[in-house]
Amino acid sequence: MKCFLSLLLLPVVVWGYCDPEFTRVGEQCLSFVTQYQLTFEEAGEYCNEMRGASLVTIDSATQFKALVDYIYSSELAIASYWVDGNDKDSEGVWISSSGKKFPMGTPFWAAYRTSQEPNGIRKENCAHLFIPVNFYINDFACNRTNLFICEQADVPTRIIQYEPPEVKSCPMHYVEVGGKCLSFMAYEEVSWESARLRCRENEGDLAIVDDIELLRAINLYLQAEELTDHDFWLGASDAQTEGQWLWTDGSSVPMGTPFWGLVAQYNQEPDGGVDENHLALLSKGYFYFRDADGSLPLHPLCQLAE
């Protein structure tokens, strides 16, 4: 028993205090430099002079969401910001200054109905949070200037122990994705209301995707299973009150970046008004949230009832 418990009690890092020049944002200590607009290289050098800091890294969907939420809540939505990502050495291979892989796809990079960033080929090799696209990541010419965000290096930490959650065991027709038991019914296409009925027949309901890591996990699963040419219904609607998006359990749907996709002229979903009252993940939208006509035939994405 002692040996078994030792396997469960795994170490986890807990972040310490930030230096005075930095502010806690999620699990990072950050400084938003708004007094200078510098090139990508100059911004990195400026950060390095701040006790060895660097441009802010983005390693997870949770981290990215915390960063964007902070920009909006702290009145920092004034211009675009450099972040630590580039493909200068090898076109299309995006890395950070430390050589780590830079996250790609949804829910990080700006996506429209027919295209997703990065799209600058050899002319745009550095990553920034682009204000016209609601601070989704966009590729940009490295010699242009932006505001930028520095991340404190060597944040003091301490180690505690915790017992990790159990891995879900999902029943037939369901698969574990992002800690949930989901069923991707790729064999039939039905309206939103009919999709709910199909899910209920299988002891579930249309999926509630209220965590950004779950949206990321769904995207990775669709890629791995070669389902990226399918469209799926989710369990949310604003049919009762236009503009008030609610999940089937009555909770509010998260709005804005990094959940909802973009449309032409840099506008953000939802944009369908009274004609599009149901929530979908569409292939021609890179599986960001998009409003759609509930009568359309899409695949049910079910979640096992808990």
Side-chain angles (χ1 to χ4, degrees):
M1 178 62 73
K2 182 177 180 181
C3 179
F4 177 71
L5 289 175
S6 68
L7 293 175
L8 292 179
L9 298 177
L10 302 176
V12 61
V13 173
V14 177
W15 292 85
Y17 292 103
C18 300
D19 288 344
E21 305 98 315
F22 297 85
T23 300
R24 167 82 58 191
V25 179
E27 295 182 342
Q28 296 171 293
C29 294
L30 305 180
S31 176
F32 291 77
V33 181
T34 58
Q35 65 270 38
Y36 306 114
Q37 291 211 13
L38 303 178
T39 67
F40 182 81
E41 183 176 349
E42 290 169 343
E45 291 173 352
Y46 183 99
C47 291
N48 188 254
E49 292 173 359
M50 299 175 65
R51 303 185 185 182
S54 63
L55 285 172
V56 61
T57 58
I58 296 174
D59 295 319
S60 70
T62 298
Q63 211 174 58
F64 179 54
K65 183 180 185 300
L67 183 56
V68 173
D69 286 349
Y70 185 83
I71 287 173
Y72 279 114
S73 65
S74 302
E75 299 183 354
L76 290 166
I78 55 176
S80 303
Y81 294 89
W82 289 123
V83 296
D84 189 8
N86 73 87
D87 70 340
K88 293 186 291 183
D89 292 338
S90 179
E91 180 61 33
V93 180
W94 286 80
I95 59 173
S96 68
S97 58
S98 66
K100 292 194 302 182
K101 289 183 179 180
F102 190 80
M104 304 302 295
T106 304
F108 303 99
W109 290 79
Y112 307 93
R113 288 171 177 163
T114 57
S115 65
Q116 185 168 36
E117 300 288 349
N119 65 358
I121 312 177
R122 296 187 181 277
K123 296 180 180 179
E124 299 177 336
N125 298 113
C126 293
H128 68 164
L129 306 182
F130 194 27
I131 186 171
V133 297
N134 300 76
F135 295 100
Y136 278 114
I137 300 171
N138 177 68
D139 54 345
F140 198 57
C142 304
N143 60 356
R144 301 284 295 276
T145 60
N146 279 319
L147 304 180
F148 51 98
I149 308 166
C150 299
E151 180 179 357
Q152 178 183 337
D154 302 323
V155 179
T157 60
R158 62 188 177 91
I159 302 296
I160 63 172
Q161 304 292 330
Y162 84 111
E163 185 173 334
E166 294 182 5
V167 176
K168 286 181 175 291
S169 177
C170 298
M172 186 179 298
H173 305 304
Y174 285 89
V175 61
E176 188 278 328
V177 177
K180 303 290 183 180
C181 290
L182 303 181
S183 178
F184 297 78
M185 293 189 176
Y187 49 85
E188 62 177 317
E189 295 175 292
V190 293
S191 69
W192 188 85
E193 292 289 353
S194 295
R196 284 202 74 185
L197 292 175
R198 297 290 189 278
C199 292
R200 289 172 174 173
E201 290 169 358
N202 286 279
E203 301 182 353
D205 204 338
L206 285 172
I208 294 176
V209 184
D210 55 2
D211 181 87
I212 197 60
E213 292 293 351
L214 179 56
L215 181 60
R216 174 63 168 168
I218 288 171
N219 270 267
L220 294 176
Y221 179 83
L222 293 174
Q223 293 174 35
E225 298 299 317
E226 299 183 351
L227 293 172
T228 53
D229 58 346
H230 292 62
D231 302 319
F232 294 91
W233 286 123
L234 294 180
S237 168
D238 73 339
Q240 185 172 356
T241 302
E242 177 60 30
Q244 184 179 352
W245 284 86
L246 300 175
W247 297 109
T248 52
D249 66 359
S251 60
S252 296
V253 175
M255 305 303 293
T257 306
F259 286 94
W260 291 80
L262 301 168
V263 291
Q265 287 80 48
Y266 298 145
N267 294 322
Q268 190 164 33
E269 301 273 14
D271 75 330
V274 297
D275 296 322
E276 298 180 344
N277 294 318
H278 296 85
L279 190 60
L281 298 179
L282 303 180
S283 173
K284 290 185 177 178
Y286 295 86
F287 301 106
Y288 282 103
F289 287 4
R290 298 188 184 272
D291 54 343
D293 181 345
S295 66
L296 292 174
L298 307 183
H299 303 290
L301 174 47
C302 305
Q303 179 177 330
L304 185 69
E306 297 182 352

